[in-house]
Amino acid sequence: MPIEIVCKIKFAEEDAKPKEKEAGDEQSLLGAARGAAAPRDLATFASTSTLHGLGRACGPGPHGLRRTLWALALLTSLAAFLYQAAGLARGYLTRPHLVAMDPAAPAPVAGFPAVTLCNINRFRHSALSDADIFHLANLTGLPPKDRDGHRAAGLRYPEPDMVDILNRTGHQLADMLKSCNFSGHHCSASNFSVVYTRYGKCYTFNADPQSSLPSRAGGMGSGLEIMLDIQQEEYLPIWRETNETSFEAGIRVQIHSQEEPPYIHQLGFGVSPGFQTFVSCQEQRLTYLPQPWGNCRVESGLGEPELQGYSAYSVSACRLRCEKEAVLQRCHCRMVHMPGNETICPPNIYIECADHTLDSLGGGSEGPCFCPTPCNLTRYGKEISMVRIPNRGSARYLARKYNRNETYIRENFLVLDVFFEALTSEAMEQRAAYGLSALLGDLGGQMGLFIGASILTLLEILDYIYEVSWDRLKRVWRRPKTPLRTSTGGISTLGLQELKEQSPCPSRGCAEGGGASSLLPNHHHPHGPPGGLFEDFAC
């Protein structure tokens, strides 16, 4: 059988080492590849963790039915907690909100809103010239003829000015307004400002935000009361229908804040002749939530106009700006009621541009023009009621007073009474129904109920995972290679098989051929059979 011969060599340079180190050479040989101390095992961690039930399920001790039941209880509680936590997270991500309404205390003075009114008829028939009828043919539907019924196709008219046409041919407030009172004081047409809308020339009472009129009491008689003559004899005859043709008689009214431009064709309400209309208002201050709970528009806070042509942002101003951009893109001009300094569209394409505006804008958040609601908004709730006027006695009186007959009074006169119901305002505020603090509180309650854990418990688990992971990474990075020679205290232990594998030549070739040199001379046993019991070796 083969015999392994071990050669022990004492190196000279190791002789100077201390004697006490040689005593531990064998231990160093056995633990040369050992790294740092191993981290805590799972049983040790479970026995010291603050997570309820983990020590009984995974701690040290014998395995049995009791430990199995504890493990099942721990897993069931953990699953129940995760289920509840997922439901809480889904509820939080829906961003629910609620609306809280708080009635404000009565104030001694309240700012009166702006009141815009427009006659439904845009042009007075008697004020239209032949040139106006010719230019406004597509808008009014009237045939382009002169007063004698002759066609005006052969005539040359100057280029029309739409602003001039509206100013001249629109209903004049001085002619329509028969009486005006505000809080018991007389008012006149000079207290109204001219404003242009889709109805043409309109008028706004209390339009200046810098000098807003106050209302010192609530109820009838403490607001604006006006009597108007709508002048039905000036309404245009209908020759053919257009998109701007109106079959109604009366006025359109919008009650709004001074910072908001009138958008009366969408937000106004109608007032009919032959009636006294009472409009009881209440100021409402609305506060909406921004993203992610709502879609309101947060103010920039830079103190600069956010929309060109308007001092403050509002939905109406945004819609008018969008209409203007659509008209500019299609017709390369703007309509009279739109802000800006661009060229005003001529009458012959006015109705075409207006129709394109309505078709292209769309509505809602999916439309090409999305105007978010401002986060802080003031609006006025309205309650409208009416009674018929005039009665028989007042009809005779008004007929004599204004030199009209009773039929004309009944068909043309109306009274509008706008007042505050009370000098109180409603504050309606959107609030987050389920915020981050509520989510954390609910998660903490569910965590404590099912698994008895806290934030520090989670930190313990993360710390243990980090400890185990870091130890394994260090083992991978610092894994030592098995050395061929292990020197301990100057002693080298070599196996014969290792020497044979490391030798660059066969067993007898190097020694007999003399082609290789070694540290020590080769020892050849002359009496041994070749390939038998003994083999040549070199140390």
Side-chain angles (χ1 to χ4, degrees), residues 235-465:
Y235 278 38
L236 294 178
I238 298 177
W239 290 81
R240 63 181 177 87
E241 291 187 33
T242 68
N243 289 342
E244 301 294 323
T245 301
S246 176
F247 300 97
E248 300 87 9
I251 64 172
R252 294 279 291 183
V253 180
Q254 182 183 353
I255 300 173
H256 54 95
S257 64
Q258 283 79 11
E259 291 80 11
E260 180 182 2
Y263 203 62
I264 198 167
H265 65 285
Q266 293 282 345
L267 305 178
F269 60 93
V271 178
S272 301
F275 291 91
Q276 180 171 359
T277 303
F278 303 96
V279 184
S280 175
C281 300
Q282 186 173 31
E283 185 182 46
Q284 298 174 344
R285 300 183 181 273
L286 309 179
T287 303
Y288 296 98
L289 288 173
Q291 292 284 356
W293 291 273
N295 293 317
C296 74
R297 185 181 190 275
V298 181
E299 296 181 1
S300 62
L302 301 178
E304 300 177 357
E306 301 183 15
L307 290 177
Q308 184 179 5
Y310 299 102
S311 60
Y313 175 85
S314 64
V315 176
S316 299
C318 177
R319 295 287 295 179
L320 288 171
R321 184 203 62 181
C322 291
E323 291 181 4
K324 172 189 169 183
E325 292 176 355
V327 172
L328 281 175
Q329 184 178 4
R330 172 66 180 271
C331 305
H332 307 287
C333 57
R334 67 177 178 90
M335 303 174 75
V336 176
H337 64 278
M338 298 175 180
N341 300 320
E342 293 81 4
T343 304
I344 296 176
C345 298
N348 59 336
I349 64 171
Y350 210 80
I351 189 171
E352 178 184 353
C353 297
D355 293 342
H356 175 72
T357 300
L358 296 178
D359 295 337
S360 61
L361 285 181
S365 59
E366 303 297 332
C369 178
F370 173 54
C371 295
T373 303
C375 292
N376 296 286
L377 174 65
T378 299
R379 73 177 185 185
Y380 297 91
K382 299 177 290 294
E383 293 183 2
I384 301 175
S385 59
M386 59 186 66
V387 296
R388 184 179 291 277
I389 62 166
N391 57 39
R392 292 181 181 178
S394 62
R396 298 190 189 98
Y397 170 76
L398 293 174
R400 291 195 303 268
K401 180 178 180 180
Y402 296 108
N403 195 23
R404 299 287 187 174
N405 57 53
E406 295 182 17
T407 302
Y408 183 90
I409 297 297
R410 291 189 179 94
E411 292 181 352
N412 292 275
F413 276 51
L414 60 85
V415 177
L416 176 64
D417 197 348
V418 182
F419 56 90
F420 277 128
E421 179 182 353
L423 296 185
T424 57
S425 61
E426 290 182 348
M428 302 176 65
E429 180 181 1
Q430 278 187 349
R431 297 174 183 174
Y434 195 66
L436 181 59
S437 59
L439 174 65
L440 294 178
D442 289 344
L443 286 176
Q446 299 291 339
M447 190 184 299
L449 175 64
F450 287 105
I451 57 177
S454 65
I455 296 295
L456 296 181
T457 306
L458 299 179
L459 293 179
E460 287 180 1
I461 296 174
L462 294 176
D463 178 70
Y464 176 71
I465 294 174

Side-chain angles (χ1 to χ4, degrees), residues 44-237:
T44 304
F45 170 74
S47 62
T48 59
S49 175
T50 58
L51 184 65
H52 290 190
L54 185 62
R56 297 181 181 274
C58 304
H63 297 277
L65 179 61
R66 184 178 181 183
R67 174 168 293 194
T68 303
L69 294 177
W70 270 107
L72 291 176
L74 178 62
L75 293 176
T76 303
S77 299
L78 181 60
F81 163 69
L82 294 177
Y83 176 78
Q84 295 292 333
L88 293 174
R90 285 194 302 268
Y92 174 75
L93 293 177
T94 58
R95 308 294 184 180
H97 62 268
L98 52 87
V99 178
M101 180 180 297
D102 299 322
V109 177
F112 198 75
V115 181
T116 299
L117 53 95
C118 304
N119 200 312
I120 292 179
N121 182 61
R122 186 179 300 181
F123 306 104
R124 289 180 298 143
H125 189 217
S126 64
L128 291 176
S129 64
D130 294 341
D132 297 334
I133 294 176
F134 176 78
H135 291 305
L136 299 175
N138 292 334
L139 189 60
T140 62
L142 296 178
K145 297 180 179 180
D146 58 18
R147 294 295 181 180
D148 298 328
H150 301 291
R151 292 190 177 274
L155 300 177
R156 288 188 172 272
Y157 295 107
E159 289 296 325
D161 184 351
M162 199 63 190
V163 176
D164 176 68
I165 292 176
L166 291 175
N167 277 326
R168 284 189 297 102
T169 64
H171 289 267
Q172 306 301 317
L173 185 62
D175 299 331
M176 291 194 300
L177 189 62
K178 300 303 179 183
S179 67
C180 178
N181 289 282
F182 178 75
S183 296
H185 300 284
H186 177 73
C187 55
S188 64
S190 60
N191 299 107
F192 291 77
S193 303
V194 176
V195 61
Y196 295 100
T197 69
R198 289 289 294 269
Y199 287 101
K201 190 177 183 180
C202 301
Y203 305 91
T204 301
F205 177 80
N206 194 28
D208 189 2
Q210 305 300 327
S211 58
S212 177
L213 297 176
S215 181
R216 303 184 182 278
M220 294 176 55
S222 301
L224 176 65
E225 182 177 354
I226 57 176
M227 178 183 287
L228 295 174
D229 177 8
I230 65 170
Q231 301 175 331
Q232 282 203 62
E233 78 280 1
E234 293 287 359
Y235 278 38
L236 294 178

